[in-house]
Amino acid sequence: MKSTTILSSLLFTLASASPIARASSEIDVTGFTAQTNPNGDGASISFTVTIPTTSISSTPCTYADVTSSNHLPDVPMTTCADSSLRFQFRQDPTQPGAGEGRYRLVVVYTPGSGSEGLAGYQEWDASDFVTEEDVTYEGAPDFTLTAA
């Protein structure tokens, strides 16, 4: 419930900044990868976004650092290759008795000139991120975000 409140708060804040449509279009993600580097010297997250009813088609979104060690970092709102697209990635805190927190990707599209924007998210159980020597996402690389 707490993670739903956090997500709702984030999307409410973004909606206040610009109009966000609810389910008027879909946000498709392809080629999603997330992993830490095997030597514990960084992490990377990458994927492409297509929004069928807009000019957004196979737009890359990436994050990389050299400071993360054995866990995927929380990534603040980060601009994609097209500045009208931004994303955020994080893992919810572990709750007593509930196991590891869920991972979440949020994508926000805010076109210029007063056009209505879109927002969507994807959530995963921690079990979709395998931890051995490093952390690697092993779920489906292609999915449609849930409209927010």
Side-chain angles (χ1 to χ4, degrees):
M1 186 60 140
K2 188 174 185 178
S3 63
T4 302
T5 302
I6 292 169
L7 177 62
S8 297
S9 297
L10 168 68
L11 292 174
F12 176 76
T13 301
L14 293 170
S16 300
S18 64
I20 301 291
R22 298 199 186 275
S24 65
S25 184
E26 64 185 43
I27 301 174
D28 296 324
V29 171
T30 56
F32 181 84
T33 63
Q35 70 241 352
T36 58
N37 297 336
N39 298 326
D41 60 355
S44 62
I45 298 168
S46 68
F47 55 96
T48 59
V49 173
T50 298
I51 304 174
T53 60
T54 70
S55 62
I56 301 297
S57 178
S58 298
T59 299
C61 296
T62 60
Y63 168 85
D65 71 36
V66 294
T67 58
S68 296
S69 56
N70 60 351
H71 69 279
L72 289 167
D74 287 345
V75 179
M77 222 21 112
T78 301
T79 303
C80 298
D82 181 318
S83 63
S84 65
L85 274 177
R86 295 172 292 145
F87 77 96
Q88 178 183 53
F89 179 85
R90 67 181 306 259
Q91 183 179 19
D92 293 336
T94 299
Q95 299 296 316
E100 281 190 73
R102 295 176 61 83
Y103 286 88
R104 182 175 297 110
L105 171 70
V106 175
V107 175
V108 178
Y109 170 61
T110 50
S113 70
S115 298
E116 203 167 70
L118 296 169
Y121 67 95
Q122 175 75 11
E123 291 182 321
W124 298 273
D125 288 329
S127 62
D128 284 328
F129 294 80
V130 176
T131 304
E132 289 177 8
E133 187 176 312
D134 56 354
V135 177
T136 303
Y137 171 69
E138 294 196 352
D142 304 336
F143 46 86
T144 299
L145 298 180
T146 301

